[in-house]
Amino acid sequence: QIAAEVPEATEIQDAAWKNLHSRLYRLYLLQFTVPWKQNAADSTNPFFFEIRNRLEGVWDTEVKKKYVDVFDNLPTVKEFPERARAIIQNHRSNVSHPLFSFLRDQADRDQLREYFRQESPFDLHFSDLLCHLMSGVYGPMRTEIASNFWDEVGRGVESRTHRNLRINMMKSLDISENAHLEQIDTYCWEQLALANSYFKLCLNRARLVEAVGALLATEMAVPGRMECQLLGWKRVGLRNEELSYVAEHTVVDVKHAEGWLNRVVMPLLQEHPRLMKDIFFGIVTRLDSAGLVCDRMLTHLQGKKN
């Protein structure tokens, strides 16, 4: 009886990762606060940076153990586009994961709602991250990132900003627009880890190249995954006007994927081939983080009643 009450190793690991990533997420949020908001804190306080660096160090140590062989067969610059597309399209986190057929064909409204809610920690901050990426980057790279940002902010139309489109859909689903700030412990740690992986790369200037690789993987993977969500939502009765956020991403990210590859990644590699390692590392770590999210979300959603 006593032995049965001892948590299994996986439960202990899950609790440890949830503890680490919920705290890291709160620290990263300091970078997006403004002084006229309640509970805003000085994000440049060395105390916060020290804690953040220590937590990132623990995380990085564990991550790097998994990738000791990842650099044994890097592509040449010429080979990179084909290799990148193949890795991203064939990765288990892409539409071939059973999660996406489940969302498309089987999930009920509550399950789709929970999936949409769980994605908020990253999605609601995407335009903020693009702002961070543009600092110090000029020429065609800056133009492409700015083009991506311009789409994110609705091409200058406030009501069409992707953040507002998402918040409107959240409201229609009775999801608090502040849940990602006030209900952090309700998110699966894998979702927080995925969001944190972007924050870690985009907010640390030394890891900008890894961020470029991670975002290439993102832009190439999103359209197909969003198409499955769109079909699922239509199946359970959501109207087209309620689905603007999802529908937008089935189209616009196709353009962003090609632009990111041809105007950001390839020019960078052609001028600095030594950056291949960091680009590649950003791609594979982002894909694997997304894979963990897919695994967790499928079991999490299936655990809810149909």
Side-chain angles (χ1 to χ4, degrees), residues 138-184:
Y138 305 106
M141 286 180 60
R142 187 184 186 100
T143 303
E144 182 59 35
I145 299 171
S147 175
N148 196 321
F149 179 75
W150 185 236
D151 284 335
E152 283 291 320
V153 295
R155 305 187 70 80
V157 179
E158 173 68 14
S159 63
R160 297 298 302 175
T161 66
H162 289 186
R163 192 175 192 280
N164 281 342
L165 292 178
R166 183 176 184 86
I167 287 174
N168 288 341
M169 187 168 172
M170 290 168 67
K171 289 178 178 177
S172 75
L173 296 171
D174 195 28
I175 300 171
S176 168
E177 65 180 278
N178 293 317
H180 66 298
L181 305 175
E182 299 170 351
Q183 301 169 23
I184 296 169

Side-chain angles (χ1 to χ4, degrees), residues 228-288:
C228 290
Q229 287 188 62
L230 183 65
L231 294 172
W233 281 117
K234 287 184 175 181
R235 175 175 51 77
V236 300
L238 255 67
R239 303 182 305 274
N240 287 339
E241 55 267 31
E242 296 176 283
L243 291 168
S244 295
Y245 175 82
V246 179
E248 177 90 358
H249 284 81
T250 64
V251 177
V252 73
D253 283 339
V254 175
K255 177 188 72 172
H256 290 163
E258 290 306 308
W260 202 267
L261 174 64
N262 296 318
R263 292 173 58 81
V264 178
V265 178
M266 288 307 295
L268 194 60
L269 288 175
Q270 287 161 354
E271 186 173 354
H272 306 285
R274 63 183 175 79
L275 299 180
M276 179 67 73
K277 179 178 177 180
D278 288 339
I279 292 281
F280 214 71
F281 193 58
I283 290 174
V284 297
T285 52
R286 184 272 173 196
L287 290 174
D288 287 348

